[in-house]
Amino acid sequence: MSNDHQTASTREALEAMVAEADTGGRKPTGFSKSLIFGIALAWALFQLWYASPLPYQFNFGVVNDGQARTIHLCFAFLLVFTTFPALKSSPRRYIPAYDWVLAILGVAAAAYLLIFYKEISLRPGLPTTADIVMSVIGVVCLLEAARRAVGPALTAIASLMLVYIFVGPWLPGLLGHKGASLSRAASQMWLTSEGIFGVALGVSASVVFLFVLFGSLLERAGAGNYFIQLAFAMLGTYRGGPAKAGVVASGLTGMISGSSIANTVTTGTFTIPLMKRVGYSAVKAGAIEAAAGVNGQLMPPVMGAAAFLIAEYVGISYAEVVKHAFLPAFLTYGALFYIVDIEAAKLNLRGLARSSTMPIHQSLLRALMTVCGIIILSGLVYYGIGWTKVVFGAAATWILGIALIAAYLGLLRYKARHPDLPADDLTKAIVKVPDFFETARTGLHYLLPVIVLIWCLMVEELSPGLSAFWGTAFLIFIMLTQRPLIAAFRGEHAFAERLREGFDDLVAALQSASRNMTSVGIATACAGIIVGTVSLTGIGLVMTEIVETVSGGNLMIMLAMTAVICLILGMGMPTTASYVVVATLMAPVLVELAAENDLAVPLVAVHMFVFYFGLMADVTPPVGLAAYAAAAISGADPVKTGIQAFRYEIRTGLLPFIFIFNTELLMIDIGSVSHFIVVVGCSIVAMGCFVAATQGWLVTKNRWYESALLLLVCFTLFRPGYWLDQLQPPFETRAAAELVTVAGSVPAGSTLRFRVKSQSRAGDDVEKLVRLTLRAEPSGAERLRTTGLAIATLGGTTTIQTSRFGSQAAKYGLAAGDEITAVLVPAERANRYWLAIPGLLLLAGIVLLQLRRRKAVP
């Protein structure tokens, strides 16, 4: 009884922690409770309407992007001041009068932009007194909202930025600037799309909300529980099985979750007690789950909503972001899986017993049949859509809709023949590992809305918001119908009751998504203050000068400094806000300094670099919130848990440094299927060597020189070109006049490199290396034009005539008048991956040594 009471109190504490971080810790009663519920529900319905094609079909309720951002922030203001208490001592059971006042002021300041939309647009840069007053009120309310919903870190940074705008004339040296008037600052921050109502809030309003809603619906429908138990059924019997199941389950739930803390708690309440049961210490159990929960934000397709921001900032499609992010995410999860296995090997742990008495070969066969069934189902949907479009034309949509419904009904009928998964206390419900086949068959229909979503995004190439709408619409249909249909297939007759349960789940998921979005909406809006300050004051130049001066021009030191700055800036902030802050402040610094150091880094690699390190702050002591959540479940010290989780996360910190120098890790410049296989294979082995070296264990405990050699193998496999570069230069230099010719000969989707004499943001003359990704156009000039460049050669000098605003070329800092000095083409030399063979032979030698040593131990 005491254990039950302790478990209940722990669960309540975890729910309170998640609420404080994501949805607000206030739980009012009576009218206030109903009002909050109504606001949250109205927000979700508005976002569904805005994302859908219905306003354009009915020509009613059409909302433009600027208006949508304003309404989005109005709802966030209402929820943040009614659900997030001002202080720890503030009341939780009712909403004080001052919070109502702040909510009204915040909404009034945002609604002012809606009401006087046309008037403000007719006087750009000339705000009236009323404009300035409402702007100041809005900014102050936003800072207070961010302090409550996001924490002091983002609020402090945004406040310092605002102060910096006005004190610039009195600051010394690099920090000084001409400053701005209150009128200019108000216009920048509140009245235009250059500040608070900029790109970040726009992505939050148009894309992020729908994906958070999709995840909330999927979780409420039962997919979260299904993913966890499926992972456990697949891996629970192996050594360290519960920990391995936690890693896989976190990866699955992280794909649809927007919060590291929620991901950690969702899977951790189940996996951490089981990890402790099979022999992991409380600290290591909590650290494994915290690391897995945070890494869920790296998994496509959602990536904690950062995928859509990366696409917007870099200027590439969402599908390309997913392509670039997949292999690093796979490597970091595979490496954590290996870490778990090493920890189990060190402790000589065993898995749990399997509940099924079926012979192992039959279990494996049935599991294989289930997996094949999923693949065949996905393949039928994927390839079926392709040929139906050709054969049936416009009617294909209706045919495919019918096929999807038929698949849904068939899977539900199949599910209805078997018992449901246990849904309550999972740590008590599963004392033995269930059969994988029996577990898998209970939730196959949850894959259908995911297939719809991925199809719309990756194949139809619809906008992310519209894709999420169609996936969400199908998921709503599932939530309303799955219970009544299962009841019908089982011969039950409580259809109305089951339909009401589904409707209740739907309404609860809608309002839950809005509550989860409150902190994201406020965070992206507040991050807009930083974006606005950078463009208004040129503080990005200051960051560049500081990093370059302190590092002494050494690129590795620059990267390390950038990583540390990202960790610091990311502490205590949600994924979305963390990425916006570090991308705004540090990504341009890294691009410029790398180019000046003769390293042409793709923009997406730089943005992924800052995203990875900003995210690692969630487990970095002393602020790591995911570590605190995991420690609350495991009962361990949160600081020790955070330190251990950070040790596990070192492997995640390695990857950004690798794909800065080896962009093939991001699937850039992959020329063939065999090239892809070699890159993936070498990367997997390299990451395994790094984990074995840092954990001190391969087959058995490492000796110091074996760890050193494993690091050497890791480096060789991740960067085989480094050794070849010492023998032969990787590129040949051609005359600048050949730029158009070379651009026309480069394979479509490949990279064009050239050197440019330009000016740094400080106004100094510099020579830098630039790389542009070329599209499939018929001529070199047209290919260059798609990147934003137009060039001319006069008197033997090749210069840039124009660099289109917002283009790929402009993002690299190229401007009209810059001189192109040389073009670089790949040199004819041996394939660099031949040098991976000595590394693999060295690894084989280490394995043989350790196997011999392990056999010698009695």
Side-chain angles (χ1 to χ4, degrees):
M1 192 70 180
S2 60
N3 287 336
D4 291 341
H5 178 73
Q6 185 177 3
T7 301
S9 62
T10 301
R11 186 174 300 166
E12 289 176 5
L14 288 169
E15 290 174 355
M17 178 182 292
V18 175
E20 291 285 350
D22 292 338
T23 62
R26 183 175 284 148
K27 295 182 180 179
T29 57
F31 173 75
S32 296
K33 179 181 179 181
S34 301
L35 182 61
I36 291 171
F37 185 87
I39 293 169
L41 186 60
W43 191 7
L45 293 174
F46 163 74
Q47 294 288 166
L48 278 171
W49 177 261
Y50 170 59
S52 76
L54 297 178
Y56 300 97
Q57 291 179 355
F58 294 111
N59 197 26
F60 169 78
V62 177
V63 180
N64 65 36
D65 290 343
Q67 292 169 327
R69 295 175 190 184
T70 306
I71 296 171
H72 187 78
L73 186 58
C74 283
F75 277 115
F77 271 143
L78 282 172
L79 287 181
V80 75
F81 288 119
T82 54
T83 60
F84 285 84
L87 303 168
K88 289 185 178 180
S89 58
S90 298
R92 274 10 185 209
R93 297 298 177 186
Y94 68 92
I95 303 170
Y98 58 81
D99 278 347
W100 285 117
V101 171
L102 286 172
I104 292 169
L105 287 174
V107 171
Y112 179 83
L113 301 179
L114 279 177
I115 297 169
F116 299 101
Y117 183 80
K118 290 184 179 179
E119 289 84 348
I120 294 171
S121 64
L122 292 175
R123 53 172 189 266
L126 298 171
T128 64
T129 302
D131 293 344
I132 296 172
V133 170
M134 297 309 292
S135 299
V136 171
I137 291 173
V139 170
V140 171
C141 288
L142 180 58
L143 289 173
E144 169 59 15
R147 184 191 67 81
R148 297 185 184 200
V150 186
L154 180 59
T155 310
I157 294 171
S159 300
L160 286 173
M161 289 292 182
L162 289 172
V163 172
Y164 182 69
I165 290 174
F166 299 108
V167 302
W170 295 278
L171 293 175
L174 286 175
L175 297 175
H177 62 91
K178 66 179 181 179
S181 64
L182 181 61
S183 171
R184 178 74 181 88
S187 179
Q188 177 85 0
M189 294 300 169
W190 196 259
L191 302 178
T192 70
S193 60
E194 298 296 319
I196 290 166
F197 295 95
V199 171
L201 186 62
V203 173
S204 177
S206 62
V207 178
V208 176
F209 193 105
L210 265 293
F211 276 86
V212 171
L213 176 58
F214 183 83
S216 179
L217 290 168
L218 203 56
E219 173 69 28
R220 194 78 184 190
N225 178 45
Y226 173 70
F227 286 154
I228 292 172
Q229 298 219 36
L230 187 67
F232 188 68
M234 184 166 51
L235 299 166
T237 56
Y238 297 98
R239 67 181 183 190
K244 292 174 179 175
V247 172
V248 173
S250 291
L252 293 171
T253 57
M255 288 191 295
I256 59 175
S257 171
S259 167
S260 299
I261 304 168
N263 192 15
T264 300
V265 170
T266 300
T267 57
T269 51
F270 169 55
T271 58
I272 289 176
L274 290 174
M275 282 190 239
K276 292 170 66 178
R277 183 182 302 172
V278 298
Y280 286 96
S281 68
V283 168
K284 289 187 176 181
I288 289 168
E289 187 54 55
V294 168
N295 287 152
Q297 308 299 286
L298 304 176
M299 288 296 291
V302 179
M303 296 171 65
F308 312 108
L309 287 164
I310 293 173
E312 195 73 28
Y313 280 127
V314 177
I316 58 178
S317 70
Y318 167 81
E320 289 179 279
V321 175
V322 171
K323 181 187 76 172
H324 296 319
F326 175 75
L327 182 56
F330 172 77
L331 288 176
T332 194
Y333 259 102
L336 183 58
F337 194 89
Y338 185 31
I339 287 172
V340 166
D341 187 71
I342 287 174
E343 294 287 10
K346 289 178 182 178
L347 298 170
N348 197 26
L349 302 182
R350 298 182 180 274
L352 297 176
R354 185 174 292 280
S355 59
S356 172
T357 57
M358 184 182 300
I360 186 64
H361 67 278
Q362 292 186 25
S363 296
L364 290 174
L365 179 62
R366 294 177 69 177
L368 180 62
M369 289 172 62
T370 303
V371 173
C372 290
I374 296 171
I375 295 172
I376 291 170
L377 174 64
S378 301
L380 287 174
V381 173
Y382 183 89
Y383 293 106
I385 291 177
W387 69 262
T388 52
K389 279 188 174 182
V390 176
V391 176
F392 299 106
T397 302
W398 295 101
I399 295 171
L400 293 170
I402 293 170
L404 201 62
I405 297 299
Y408 172 58
L409 293 174
L411 290 172
L412 279 191
R413 183 179 180 86
Y414 183 59
K415 170 185 170 62
R417 297 175 183 173
H418 308 285
D420 296 329
L421 294 175
D424 295 318
D425 190 350
L426 294 175
T427 59
K428 291 184 177 180
I430 300 181
V431 292
K432 291 187 176 181
V433 179
D435 180 74
F436 175 80
F437 177 78
E438 293 176 357
T439 305
R441 67 191 176 193
T442 62
L444 294 177
H445 63 291
Y446 294 131
L447 299 175
L448 296 179
V450 178
I451 290 172
V452 171
L453 173 64
I454 300 302
W455 170 259
C456 291
L457 280 169
M458 307 296 292
V459 182
E460 293 286 351
E461 294 188 357
L462 300 178
S463 69
L466 187 57
S467 301
F469 170 77
W470 288 119
T472 301
F474 188 69
L475 191 48
I476 289 173
F477 170 74
I478 288 177
M479 290 190 71
L480 291 175
T481 59
Q482 64 175 345
R483 293 174 188 267
L485 287 173
I486 290 172
F489 289 137
R490 288 176 175 171
E492 301 171 359
H493 302 288
F495 303 121
E497 182 181 347
R498 295 291 178 266
L499 182 62
R500 186 170 60 254
E501 289 174 355
F503 182 78
D504 290 343
D505 282 344
L506 172 61
V507 172
L510 290 171
Q511 73 88 29
S512 176
S514 297
R515 296 287 297 272
N516 285 323
M517 269 301 298
T518 303
S519 59
V520 177
I522 294 296
T524 50
C526 193
I529 294 176
I530 299 166
V531 177
T533 303
V534 169
S535 60
L536 184 61
T537 65
I539 191 177
L541 169 63
V542 176
M543 298 293 292
T544 303
E545 292 288 340
I546 291 174
V547 172
E548 187 170 27
T549 301
V550 174
S551 66
N554 184 288
L555 185 59
M556 285 305 298
I557 297 177
M558 290 179 195
L559 290 172
M561 284 184 62
T562 304
V564 172
I565 292 170
C566 292
L567 280 172
I568 294 170
L569 292 176
M571 285 185 182
M573 282 192 276
T575 304
T576 315
S578 170
Y579 168 70
V580 173
V581 172
V582 297
T584 303
L585 291 176
M586 299 309 303
V589 175
L590 210 51
V591 170
E592 184 165 340
L593 295 180
E596 292 174 14
N597 280 266
D598 214 31
L599 179 65
V601 183
L603 286 173
V604 68
V606 173
H607 281 261
M608 291 280 286
F609 183 96
V610 298
F611 169 59
Y612 265 55
F613 279 104
L615 186 62
M616 282 181 65
D618 275 352
V619 296
T620 305
V623 183
L625 299 178
Y628 277 86
I633 304 172
S634 66
D637 179 82
V639 175
K640 291 182 179 178
T641 302
I643 292 171
Q644 185 66 40
F646 186 77
R647 286 186 58 203
Y648 291 152
E649 283 294 271
I650 291 173
R651 85 214 184 277
T652 305
L654 169 71
L655 289 174
F657 286 95
I658 297 300
F659 56 61
I660 286 289
F661 293 98
N662 181 9
T663 56
E664 289 176 345
L665 207 62
L666 300 178
M667 299 292 102
I668 296 174
D669 293 338
I670 300 292
S672 63
V673 174
S674 59
H675 188 185
F676 170 78
I677 292 171
V678 170
V679 169
V680 172
C682 287
S683 298
I684 291 172
V685 177
M687 181 55 82
C689 290
F690 182 79
V691 169
T694 53
Q695 297 300 311
W697 189 283
L698 183 57
V699 177
T700 186
K701 186 176 180 180
N702 296 344
R703 290 175 176 165
W704 69 267
Y705 58 85
E706 290 173 336
S707 293
L709 291 174
L710 285 170
L711 290 175
L712 178 62
V713 174
C714 168
F715 179 81
T716 300
L717 295 180
F718 267 139
R719 285 199 62 195
Y722 176 83
W723 304 114
L724 188 58
D725 292 348
Q726 309 307 308
L727 303 174
Q728 294 176 291
F731 299 101
E732 295 176 357
T733 302
R734 301 275 182 88
E738 296 184 42
L739 180 64
V740 175
T741 305
V742 173
S745 64
V746 170
S750 294
T751 298
L752 175 68
R753 291 176 172 84
F754 55 92
R755 286 197 173 90
V756 178
K757 280 185 180 179
S758 181
Q759 283 190 333
S760 69
R761 295 198 292 178
D764 300 324
D765 291 331
V766 295
E767 185 169 1
K768 59 186 180 183
L769 181 62
V770 176
R771 60 181 289 159
L772 299 177
T773 301
L774 302 182
R775 296 179 183 174
E777 300 293 340
S779 69
E782 290 179 9
R783 289 184 172 188
L784 289 174
R785 198 172 297 118
T786 61
T787 69
L789 278 186
I791 66 168
T793 301
L794 293 172
T797 302
T798 302
T799 58
I800 296 174
Q801 282 188 314
T802 59
S803 176
R804 191 175 64 250
F805 177 77
S807 66
Q808 185 184 164
K811 290 178 185 293
Y812 279 105
L814 299 181
D818 289 350
E819 181 186 348
I820 299 171
T821 59
V823 183
L824 302 183
V825 296
E828 292 289 337
R829 60 177 190 167
N831 190 312
R832 60 185 177 278
Y833 280 98
W834 284 113
L835 293 175
I837 294 177
L840 293 173
L841 292 174
L842 180 57
L843 174 61
I846 297 171
V847 171
L848 289 174
L849 282 174
Q850 293 205 358
L851 284 172
R852 185 180 302 171
R853 195 161 67 244
R854 190 176 69 174
K855 290 179 180 178
V857 176

